[in-house]
Amino acid sequence: MFGEIEGTGFEVLDAEFEGCFVGHARVERLWTGARWSEGPVWFAAGQYFLWSDIPNNRILRFDDTDGSVSTFRQPSNNSNGHTVDRQGRLISCEHLTRRVTRTELNGSITVIADTYDGKRLNSPNDVVVKSDGSIWFTDPSYGILMDYEGERADSEIGACHVYRVDPNGAIQIVADDYVKPNGLAFSPDESVLYIADTGITHDPDGPKHIRRHTVNPDNTLGGGDVFATCTEGLFDGFRVDLDGRIWSSAADGVHCLNTEGKLIGKIHIPELVGNVCFGGAKLNRLFICGTTSLYSVFLNVNGVSPV
Ligand code: MG
């Protein structure tokens, strides 16, 4: 049955979506009190979930063992996107300090990248780690355009690129034809890298789509065709499930795209969504960063494990 299922928030736009959710599962609002929620990441070993409240300069922590929320780090240098690497370490994009960092197992902070060719990065936004240890991140200018989510400054690089940092520390541009590169995620087998472009935020004719790149054996990118264009607002952050579907933030909630880029269903959320992340012991729970609130819902799909 297509359409919105009354009282659930689930909207079926294609029969494929009917198998993706549990009919009597409900979206739960876990916490509220943020200004702009982003950067979700799940820590399986600790059974907790971190996310960024960018304007409040803090990283929050939802403890799934008792449902409590506390402050994980403040100040957070206006951190935005997060992920975990294969060793379970936190990788952070920081607007204020215009860098990507790793929090080591002893709590110390290692800078992964803060410059390219001697020029400061703009404001790293979102990040993923490939199984070979390379760290891929986007660098739009949102954190330097105003003081709300960072600190106003000129771009030294003068453009917004996508970068890869190899395990030896070398940094490369992997895509230089984006307006505002934003969320990114690999397909389950890492043969494809999806990257969102949210250029529409500062140009009504700008992009609001996700592009699909093939990942070459030498970790350069090919392809880059538009994979899907957002029908409500824009695609900011997103994650991929084990079957290759994309679960993306959008203005009216979460959009689910199949492997052909078709919008097959939605999870309606009562506020703008900035990012999502799979969590829980079986990675079948989607954590959803609404503007002011953290939501979650159990699904009948499983996310790709980042660890
Ligand atoms: Mg983002």
PDB file of all heavy atoms in Angstrom, residues 36 38-39 54 80-81 95 124-126 138 140 142 181-184 196 198 234-238 249 274-275, ligand 1:
ATOM      1  N   TRP A  36      21.475  23.150  16.453  1.00  0.00           N
ATOM      2  CA  TRP A  36      21.596  22.541  15.114  1.00  0.00           C
ATOM      3  C   TRP A  36      22.346  21.226  15.278  1.00  0.00           C
ATOM      4  O   TRP A  36      23.547  21.204  15.557  1.00  0.00           O
ATOM      5  CB  TRP A  36      22.309  23.467  14.113  1.00  0.00           C
ATOM      6  CG  TRP A  36      22.508  22.839  12.764  1.00  0.00           C
ATOM      7  CD1 TRP A  36      23.699  22.591  12.144  1.00  0.00           C
ATOM      8  CD2 TRP A  36      21.487  22.364  11.874  1.00  0.00           C
ATOM      9  NE1 TRP A  36      23.482  21.991  10.923  1.00  0.00           N
ATOM     10  CE2 TRP A  36      22.135  21.838  10.734  1.00  0.00           C
ATOM     11  CE3 TRP A  36      20.083  22.314  11.930  1.00  0.00           C
ATOM     12  CZ2 TRP A  36      21.434  21.282   9.655  1.00  0.00           C
ATOM     13  CZ3 TRP A  36      19.392  21.759  10.864  1.00  0.00           C
ATOM     14  CH2 TRP A  36      20.066  21.264   9.744  1.00  0.00           C
ATOM     15  N   GLU A  38      23.940  17.695  14.198  1.00  0.00           N
ATOM     16  CA  GLU A  38      24.660  17.134  13.042  1.00  0.00           C
ATOM     17  C   GLU A  38      25.645  16.075  13.556  1.00  0.00           C
ATOM     18  O   GLU A  38      25.686  15.773  14.741  1.00  0.00           O
ATOM     19  CB  GLU A  38      25.427  18.258  12.318  1.00  0.00           C
ATOM     20  CG  GLU A  38      24.938  18.555  10.905  1.00  0.00           C
ATOM     21  CD  GLU A  38      25.436  17.537   9.875  1.00  0.00           C
ATOM     22  OE1 GLU A  38      25.991  16.507  10.268  1.00  0.00           O
ATOM     23  OE2 GLU A  38      25.253  17.792   8.670  1.00  0.00           O
ATOM     24  N   GLY A  39      26.422  15.526  12.633  1.00  0.00           N
ATOM     25  CA  GLY A  39      27.576  14.727  12.992  1.00  0.00           C
ATOM     26  C   GLY A  39      27.310  13.493  13.838  1.00  0.00           C
ATOM     27  O   GLY A  39      28.014  13.259  14.826  1.00  0.00           O
ATOM     28  N   ILE A  54      26.233  22.109  16.755  1.00  0.00           N
ATOM     29  CA  ILE A  54      27.304  22.970  16.220  1.00  0.00           C
ATOM     30  C   ILE A  54      27.287  24.381  16.825  1.00  0.00           C
ATOM     31  O   ILE A  54      28.297  24.839  17.349  1.00  0.00           O
ATOM     32  CB  ILE A  54      27.264  23.024  14.675  1.00  0.00           C
ATOM     33  CG1 ILE A  54      27.333  21.614  14.077  1.00  0.00           C
ATOM     34  CG2 ILE A  54      28.423  23.878  14.150  1.00  0.00           C
ATOM     35  CD1 ILE A  54      27.174  21.580  12.560  1.00  0.00           C
ATOM     36  N   ASN A  80      31.450  19.288  13.501  1.00  0.00           N
ATOM     37  CA  ASN A  80      30.308  18.947  12.642  1.00  0.00           C
ATOM     38  C   ASN A  80      30.283  17.433  12.455  1.00  0.00           C
ATOM     39  O   ASN A  80      29.931  16.703  13.359  1.00  0.00           O
ATOM     40  CB  ASN A  80      30.408  19.729  11.325  1.00  0.00           C
ATOM     41  CG  ASN A  80      29.176  19.577  10.452  1.00  0.00           C
ATOM     42  OD1 ASN A  80      28.389  18.659  10.610  1.00  0.00           O
ATOM     43  ND2 ASN A  80      28.998  20.480   9.518  1.00  0.00           N
ATOM     44  N   GLY A  81      30.705  16.918  11.294  1.00  0.00           N
ATOM     45  CA  GLY A  81      30.597  15.493  10.994  1.00  0.00           C
ATOM     46  C   GLY A  81      31.550  14.641  11.812  1.00  0.00           C
ATOM     47  O   GLY A  81      32.650  15.067  12.166  1.00  0.00           O
ATOM     48  N   HIS A  95      34.751  22.944  12.559  1.00  0.00           N
ATOM     49  CA  HIS A  95      34.610  24.201  11.817  1.00  0.00           C
ATOM     50  C   HIS A  95      35.570  25.280  12.321  1.00  0.00           C
ATOM     51  O   HIS A  95      36.265  25.914  11.551  1.00  0.00           O
ATOM     52  CB  HIS A  95      33.181  24.737  11.965  1.00  0.00           C
ATOM     53  CG  HIS A  95      32.182  24.091  11.069  1.00  0.00           C
ATOM     54  ND1 HIS A  95      30.859  24.462  11.036  1.00  0.00           N
ATOM     55  CD2 HIS A  95      32.298  23.086  10.163  1.00  0.00           C
ATOM     56  CE1 HIS A  95      30.208  23.732  10.153  1.00  0.00           C
ATOM     57  NE2 HIS A  95      31.056  22.878   9.612  1.00  0.00           N
ATOM     58  N   PRO A 124      35.944  21.698   7.409  1.00  0.00           N
ATOM     59  CA  PRO A 124      35.550  20.316   7.113  1.00  0.00           C
ATOM     60  C   PRO A 124      34.170  19.991   7.688  1.00  0.00           C
ATOM     61  O   PRO A 124      33.850  20.377   8.818  1.00  0.00           O
ATOM     62  CB  PRO A 124      36.659  19.498   7.767  1.00  0.00           C
ATOM     63  CG  PRO A 124      37.857  20.389   7.652  1.00  0.00           C
ATOM     64  CD  PRO A 124      37.314  21.772   7.900  1.00  0.00           C
ATOM     65  N   ASN A 125      33.374  19.293   6.882  1.00  0.00           N
ATOM     66  CA  ASN A 125      31.949  19.131   7.184  1.00  0.00           C
ATOM     67  C   ASN A 125      31.570  17.708   7.528  1.00  0.00           C
ATOM     68  O   ASN A 125      30.863  17.462   8.492  1.00  0.00           O
ATOM     69  CB  ASN A 125      31.153  19.606   5.967  1.00  0.00           C
ATOM     70  CG  ASN A 125      29.663  19.661   6.211  1.00  0.00           C
ATOM     71  OD1 ASN A 125      29.019  18.632   6.330  1.00  0.00           O
ATOM     72  ND2 ASN A 125      29.110  20.853   6.297  1.00  0.00           N
ATOM     73  N   ASP A 126      32.029  16.749   6.713  1.00  0.00           N
ATOM     74  CA  ASP A 126      31.640  15.362   6.965  1.00  0.00           C
ATOM     75  C   ASP A 126      32.773  14.445   6.511  1.00  0.00           C
ATOM     76  O   ASP A 126      33.583  14.823   5.661  1.00  0.00           O
ATOM     77  CB  ASP A 126      30.333  15.025   6.245  1.00  0.00           C
ATOM     78  CG  ASP A 126      29.447  14.105   7.075  1.00  0.00           C
ATOM     79  OD1 ASP A 126      29.978  13.410   7.972  1.00  0.00           O
ATOM     80  OD2 ASP A 126      28.229  14.060   6.819  1.00  0.00           O
ATOM     81  N   THR A 138      34.790  16.186   3.218  1.00  0.00           N
ATOM     82  CA  THR A 138      34.342  17.309   2.397  1.00  0.00           C
ATOM     83  C   THR A 138      34.698  18.613   3.099  1.00  0.00           C
ATOM     84  O   THR A 138      34.758  18.682   4.334  1.00  0.00           O
ATOM     85  CB  THR A 138      32.822  17.259   2.172  1.00  0.00           C
ATOM     86  OG1 THR A 138      32.152  17.220   3.442  1.00  0.00           O
ATOM     87  CG2 THR A 138      32.435  16.030   1.370  1.00  0.00           C
ATOM     88  N   PRO A 140      33.299  22.207   2.534  1.00  0.00           N
ATOM     89  CA  PRO A 140      32.568  23.405   2.082  1.00  0.00           C
ATOM     90  C   PRO A 140      32.916  24.582   2.987  1.00  0.00           C
ATOM     91  O   PRO A 140      33.750  24.461   3.886  1.00  0.00           O
ATOM     92  CB  PRO A 140      31.098  22.981   2.242  1.00  0.00           C
ATOM     93  CG  PRO A 140      31.124  22.040   3.403  1.00  0.00           C
ATOM     94  CD  PRO A 140      32.435  21.286   3.282  1.00  0.00           C
ATOM     95  N   TYR A 142      30.752  26.464   4.963  1.00  0.00           N
ATOM     96  CA  TYR A 142      29.706  26.872   5.921  1.00  0.00           C
ATOM     97  C   TYR A 142      30.265  27.400   7.241  1.00  0.00           C
ATOM     98  O   TYR A 142      29.690  28.295   7.840  1.00  0.00           O
ATOM     99  CB  TYR A 142      28.753  25.702   6.186  1.00  0.00           C
ATOM    100  CG  TYR A 142      27.964  25.291   4.973  1.00  0.00           C
ATOM    101  CD1 TYR A 142      28.123  24.033   4.403  1.00  0.00           C
ATOM    102  CD2 TYR A 142      27.064  26.166   4.381  1.00  0.00           C
ATOM    103  CE1 TYR A 142      27.412  23.660   3.278  1.00  0.00           C
ATOM    104  CE2 TYR A 142      26.350  25.805   3.249  1.00  0.00           C
ATOM    105  CZ  TYR A 142      26.526  24.544   2.699  1.00  0.00           C
ATOM    106  OH  TYR A 142      25.827  24.182   1.580  1.00  0.00           O
ATOM    107  N   PRO A 181      30.388  20.603  -1.287  1.00  0.00           N
ATOM    108  CA  PRO A 181      30.350  19.174  -0.968  1.00  0.00           C
ATOM    109  C   PRO A 181      30.002  18.987   0.496  1.00  0.00           C
ATOM    110  O   PRO A 181      30.474  19.740   1.351  1.00  0.00           O
ATOM    111  CB  PRO A 181      31.777  18.704  -1.287  1.00  0.00           C
ATOM    112  CG  PRO A 181      32.619  19.930  -1.138  1.00  0.00           C
ATOM    113  CD  PRO A 181      31.750  21.079  -1.569  1.00  0.00           C
ATOM    114  N   ASN A 182      29.172  17.972   0.777  1.00  0.00           N
ATOM    115  CA  ASN A 182      28.649  17.862   2.140  1.00  0.00           C
ATOM    116  C   ASN A 182      28.726  16.412   2.622  1.00  0.00           C
ATOM    117  O   ASN A 182      29.822  15.874   2.765  1.00  0.00           O
ATOM    118  CB  ASN A 182      27.228  18.444   2.155  1.00  0.00           C
ATOM    119  CG  ASN A 182      26.814  18.941   3.500  1.00  0.00           C
ATOM    120  OD1 ASN A 182      27.025  18.271   4.514  1.00  0.00           O
ATOM    121  ND2 ASN A 182      26.227  20.112   3.565  1.00  0.00           N
ATOM    122  N   GLY A 183      27.603  15.720   2.798  1.00  0.00           N
ATOM    123  CA  GLY A 183      27.665  14.337   3.281  1.00  0.00           C
ATOM    124  C   GLY A 183      28.314  13.415   2.258  1.00  0.00           C
ATOM    125  O   GLY A 183      28.318  13.695   1.056  1.00  0.00           O
ATOM    126  N   LEU A 184      28.884  12.315   2.748  1.00  0.00           N
ATOM    127  CA  LEU A 184      29.483  11.331   1.844  1.00  0.00           C
ATOM    128  C   LEU A 184      29.448   9.953   2.499  1.00  0.00           C
ATOM    129  O   LEU A 184      29.457   9.836   3.725  1.00  0.00           O
ATOM    130  CB  LEU A 184      30.900  11.727   1.430  1.00  0.00           C
ATOM    131  CG  LEU A 184      32.064  11.638   2.419  1.00  0.00           C
ATOM    132  CD1 LEU A 184      33.375  11.966   1.679  1.00  0.00           C
ATOM    133  CD2 LEU A 184      31.914  12.534   3.607  1.00  0.00           C
ATOM    134  N   ALA A 196      27.194  14.306  -1.466  1.00  0.00           N
ATOM    135  CA  ALA A 196      26.136  15.306  -1.620  1.00  0.00           C
ATOM    136  C   ALA A 196      26.730  16.657  -1.962  1.00  0.00           C
ATOM    137  O   ALA A 196      27.829  17.001  -1.512  1.00  0.00           O
ATOM    138  CB  ALA A 196      25.326  15.413  -0.328  1.00  0.00           C
ATOM    139  N   THR A 198      25.388  20.568  -1.656  1.00  0.00           N
ATOM    140  CA  THR A 198      24.305  21.397  -1.129  1.00  0.00           C
ATOM    141  C   THR A 198      24.479  22.856  -1.552  1.00  0.00           C
ATOM    142  O   THR A 198      24.154  23.786  -0.801  1.00  0.00           O
ATOM    143  CB  THR A 198      24.241  21.284   0.407  1.00  0.00           C
ATOM    144  OG1 THR A 198      25.547  21.516   0.964  1.00  0.00           O
ATOM    145  CG2 THR A 198      23.791  19.902   0.838  1.00  0.00           C
ATOM    146  N   LEU A 234      17.283  19.699   0.941  1.00  0.00           N
ATOM    147  CA  LEU A 234      18.534  19.210   0.364  1.00  0.00           C
ATOM    148  C   LEU A 234      19.015  17.978   1.118  1.00  0.00           C
ATOM    149  O   LEU A 234      18.594  17.711   2.233  1.00  0.00           O
ATOM    150  CB  LEU A 234      19.595  20.313   0.389  1.00  0.00           C
ATOM    151  CG  LEU A 234      19.798  21.068   1.719  1.00  0.00           C
ATOM    152  CD1 LEU A 234      20.741  20.326   2.637  1.00  0.00           C
ATOM    153  CD2 LEU A 234      20.330  22.470   1.439  1.00  0.00           C
ATOM    154  N   PHE A 235      19.868  17.217   0.462  1.00  0.00           N
ATOM    155  CA  PHE A 235      20.531  16.081   1.101  1.00  0.00           C
ATOM    156  C   PHE A 235      21.777  16.623   1.811  1.00  0.00           C
ATOM    157  O   PHE A 235      22.686  17.115   1.164  1.00  0.00           O
ATOM    158  CB  PHE A 235      20.979  15.049   0.068  1.00  0.00           C
ATOM    159  CG  PHE A 235      19.868  14.400  -0.716  1.00  0.00           C
ATOM    160  CD1 PHE A 235      19.932  14.330  -2.103  1.00  0.00           C
ATOM    161  CD2 PHE A 235      18.782  13.829  -0.080  1.00  0.00           C
ATOM    162  CE1 PHE A 235      18.937  13.705  -2.835  1.00  0.00           C
ATOM    163  CE2 PHE A 235      17.773  13.198  -0.806  1.00  0.00           C
ATOM    164  CZ  PHE A 235      17.850  13.142  -2.189  1.00  0.00           C
ATOM    165  N   ASP A 236      21.799  16.501   3.121  1.00  0.00           N
ATOM    166  CA  ASP A 236      22.987  16.937   3.871  1.00  0.00           C
ATOM    167  C   ASP A 236      23.803  15.684   4.194  1.00  0.00           C
ATOM    168  O   ASP A 236      24.578  15.199   3.371  1.00  0.00           O
ATOM    169  CB  ASP A 236      22.534  17.696   5.125  1.00  0.00           C
ATOM    170  CG  ASP A 236      23.660  18.402   5.871  1.00  0.00           C
ATOM    171  OD1 ASP A 236      24.800  17.926   5.804  1.00  0.00           O
ATOM    172  OD2 ASP A 236      23.405  19.407   6.544  1.00  0.00           O
ATOM    173  N   GLY A 237      23.599  15.092   5.366  1.00  0.00           N
ATOM    174  CA  GLY A 237      24.325  13.869   5.693  1.00  0.00           C
ATOM    175  C   GLY A 237      23.483  12.630   5.437  1.00  0.00           C
ATOM    176  O   GLY A 237      22.256  12.693   5.483  1.00  0.00           O
ATOM    177  N   PHE A 238      24.148  11.497   5.179  1.00  0.00           N
ATOM    178  CA  PHE A 238      23.419  10.261   4.890  1.00  0.00           C
ATOM    179  C   PHE A 238      24.273   9.054   5.225  1.00  0.00           C
ATOM    180  O   PHE A 238      25.494   9.161   5.411  1.00  0.00           O
ATOM    181  CB  PHE A 238      22.953  10.230   3.432  1.00  0.00           C
ATOM    182  CG  PHE A 238      24.041  10.392   2.413  1.00  0.00           C
ATOM    183  CD1 PHE A 238      24.698   9.289   1.893  1.00  0.00           C
ATOM    184  CD2 PHE A 238      24.425  11.657   1.985  1.00  0.00           C
ATOM    185  CE1 PHE A 238      25.718   9.440   0.954  1.00  0.00           C
ATOM    186  CE2 PHE A 238      25.442  11.826   1.042  1.00  0.00           C
ATOM    187  CZ  PHE A 238      26.077  10.705   0.522  1.00  0.00           C
ATOM    188  N   SER A 249      19.226  12.635   5.115  1.00  0.00           N
ATOM    189  CA  SER A 249      18.503  13.765   5.679  1.00  0.00           C
ATOM    190  C   SER A 249      17.822  14.538   4.562  1.00  0.00           C
ATOM    191  O   SER A 249      18.282  14.549   3.412  1.00  0.00           O
ATOM    192  CB  SER A 249      19.486  14.681   6.401  1.00  0.00           C
ATOM    193  OG  SER A 249      20.436  15.173   5.472  1.00  0.00           O
ATOM    194  N   GLY A 274      19.333  17.028   9.639  1.00  0.00           N
ATOM    195  CA  GLY A 274      20.665  17.357   9.144  1.00  0.00           C
ATOM    196  C   GLY A 274      21.528  16.149   8.820  1.00  0.00           C
ATOM    197  O   GLY A 274      22.391  16.203   7.958  1.00  0.00           O
ATOM    198  N   ASN A 275      21.267  15.026   9.543  1.00  0.00           N
ATOM    199  CA  ASN A 275      22.100  13.853   9.310  1.00  0.00           C
ATOM    200  C   ASN A 275      21.484  12.650  10.026  1.00  0.00           C
ATOM    201  O   ASN A 275      20.615  12.817  10.890  1.00  0.00           O
ATOM    202  CB  ASN A 275      23.528  14.096   9.820  1.00  0.00           C
ATOM    203  CG  ASN A 275      24.578  13.354   9.027  1.00  0.00           C
ATOM    204  OD1 ASN A 275      24.305  12.305   8.443  1.00  0.00           O
ATOM    205  ND2 ASN A 275      25.790  13.881   9.009  1.00  0.00           N
TER     206      ASN A 275
HETATM  207 MG    MG B   1      26.808  18.087   6.673  1.00  0.00          MG
END
